[in-house]
Amino acid sequence: MSATLVHSFDGIASRIDATGARSVGFTSTLAGEGTSTIALGTALALAELRQEKVLLVDANWIHPSLTSDARRESAPGLADYLARKAELATVVRSAERSRLDFLPVGDRDAARPTLRGLASLLANDVTHFQTVLIDLPPVLTGEMYVLPWATLLDHLFVVLREAATPLPLVRQALGKIGLATPEIILNRTAAATPELATSLVAAHRRLA
Amino acid sequence: MRRYLTAAKRYWLVILALLAVVWGAGLAGAYHEYANTYESQATIWVLRASPELTSSNPEDPGTPVIQTVASQQTELFTQLLQSDGFIRDVVERTLQRSTLERAANETKFLADVRKHFSVETLGTNMLRVSYTTSDPRTPVEMVNAAIAVRTERVLHARVTSTAAVGTLYRSEFDAAQTQALDAARELDAFKSSHPETLTATDEAHQAQLQLAVDFAQARLSELRGRADRSAVAAAVLEMSGLEFEVVDEPRQQTTPSGGGRAAVLLALVSLAAGALLVALLVFVGALLADHVAGPLDVGRLAPARLFATVPRVAVGSGAGGSELRPALAAIAFDDGDPSSLTG
């Protein structure tokens, strides 16, 4: 069952792997689009696909659900690192079985994400991770927490929920992000069509 | 516009049901109002302006307000209908008296009766008083009682004011009479004390006393005239019927009447409400329908492009992200060994 769940994200993981991207962010238009779920599932799938450690960062200052899932609400995290209250190595939780390292959001009142702080994080302190995935808040409600990441990440995906997210709001969110070619991940599609990438990943596993 | 038409087509069954309920209820209510309303009305002819009702501008009492005699009486009637005392007197003269006695909340009952009355001006000298209710017999009683109570109230007010004026004149007359007698007495005393030829000074004094007597008698005769006129005015009040004459007596209606306007209003409101609700439904429907229907639909967000799709995953009994994420979190974070935490 566990493997089946993770394999649901093989398609997106293999596409990210194909682009060679190292840092990837996930945001959405509104809350409840499934951004945290996709970030988590993709992180697990990428860790399995690349057979290396993946750093998953909860940068959702508004609703840090991954931090809650990891039961690290009171633990220091990204905000404490940005406020220079903690070293990164001391706030990252490592799970050997899933090959997933997790950076919780920490004390959100300590600091806000700034371009300089995030640039330092990505350029200096997480260089030993080949893959860094960031869970971000919705653009329309957390613009100030999303935009600093937008120029630093290799990819910033906007998660939409099929047959739910209103198009005018999506356009508004894309306009705020300001990327030339925004990339969309369509969540909870009705037809679970097996994609070519998923088939390739399955074949790769069989060979491994 | 096309998206609204599409939404209307999508929700046509809901729209049909909505219109059936709202319009049906409205039209049924309008028919009920029309078929169960009876109105009786009295047309009243007003001859001349009543001096008691001379109106003035409350902002500036010196400025006269132009009013026709009919509008004066209409205003008086309307104002009387605003008082609970007047309505109570009216109701007590009708068969509704027992209902009033049984009413738990008298004020509410009287307010309800008040709402059924209507007073309108038909022209410069005509006005109409009407009463509308679901019982054909009550309106006649109510209109007749209202006219009778109004007449009594006005008559009583006039008699009271006339009596007050008469009393005032009488007291003034008594005082003036005393003054006249005193003046005459002083003149007589002066004359008797000066039988011989008067000096110039005495003549002047006598002339002053004579003048005081003349003034007192003139004042006396004037007050007598006023007192007489005020006494006569009470008798003249018998002619007041000419001022306020019921031309058309109220009649008991055998067929529904007077509910047409309310019925039309009710029907129009229900039609408008139905149309408004449908418009709202179509608008919200079009708004909700404006989303990405599938991977191919992402093209509407150009220059954005579709990177990947994530299928809906069923976990346990439910299907959705809310159940999926805890399951993934269990895989990702539940190592079970606290020592595995490097942080």
Side-chain angles (χ1 to χ4, degrees), chain A residues 28-29 139-140 158 168-178:
Chain A
S28 62
T29 303
V139 178
L140 294 184
V158 179
L169 297 182
V170 177
R171 291 194 183 97
Q172 196 179 340
L174 295 178
K176 283 182 184 292
I177 293 172

Side-chain angles (χ1 to χ4, degrees), chain B residues 287-300:
Chain B
L287 198 68
L288 290 176
D290 197 14
H291 49 60
V292 177
L296 294 176
D297 217 17
V298 176
R300 295 168 67 189

Side-chain angles (χ1 to χ4, degrees), chain A residues 77-137:
Chain A
L78 176 61
D80 303 277
Y81 163 80
L82 293 173
R84 299 178 187 278
K85 289 182 177 176
E87 292 295 321
L88 190 70
T90 63
V91 294
V92 172
R93 174 193 172 167
S94 182
E96 294 299 334
R97 197 170 66 185
S98 60
R99 292 195 197 94
L100 190 70
D101 283 11
F102 178 62
L103 175 58
V105 72
D107 179 12
R108 286 172 280 168
D109 296 328
R112 285 181 176 180
T114 60
L115 198 59
R116 180 182 294 178
L118 299 178
S120 171
L121 170 76
L122 293 172
N124 304 320
D125 294 330
V126 296
T127 48
H128 57 287
F129 288 101
Q130 290 305 306
T131 310
V132 181
L133 267 60
I134 323 289
D135 178 30
L136 294 165

Side-chain angles (χ1 to χ4, degrees), chain A residues 2 5 8-9 15-16 36-37 40 44 65 69-72 90 92-98 100 102 157 160 162-168 170-171 174 180-189 192 195, chain B residues 3 287-288 290-298 300-301 303-316 319-322 324-336 340-343:
Chain A
S2 302
L5 289 180
S8 303
F9 298 91
R15 283 172 187 267
I16 291 172
S36 299
T37 308
L40 182 57
L44 288 168
S65 52
D69 291 341
R71 294 187 290 277
R72 304 283 288 172
T90 63
V92 172
R93 174 193 172 167
S94 182
E96 294 299 334
R97 197 170 66 185
S98 60
L100 190 70
F102 178 62
F157 298 121
L160 304 185
E162 186 179 275
T165 316
L167 273 180
V170 177
R171 291 194 183 97
L174 295 178
T181 311
E183 293 175 301
I184 306 287
I185 292 176
L186 196 57
N187 188 23
R188 300 187 68 180
T189 51
E195 297 180 40
Chain B
R3 52 193 281 222
L287 198 68
L288 290 176
D290 197 14
H291 49 60
V292 177
L296 294 176
D297 217 17
V298 176
R300 295 168 67 189
L301 290 168
R305 67 181 183 87
L306 181 66
F307 182 80
T309 60
V310 178
R312 187 177 295 151
V313 179
V315 180
S322 58
L324 177 59
R325 205 184 69 229
L328 290 170
I331 300 167
F333 304 124
D334 288 355
D335 269 9
S340 66
L341 300 181
T342 59

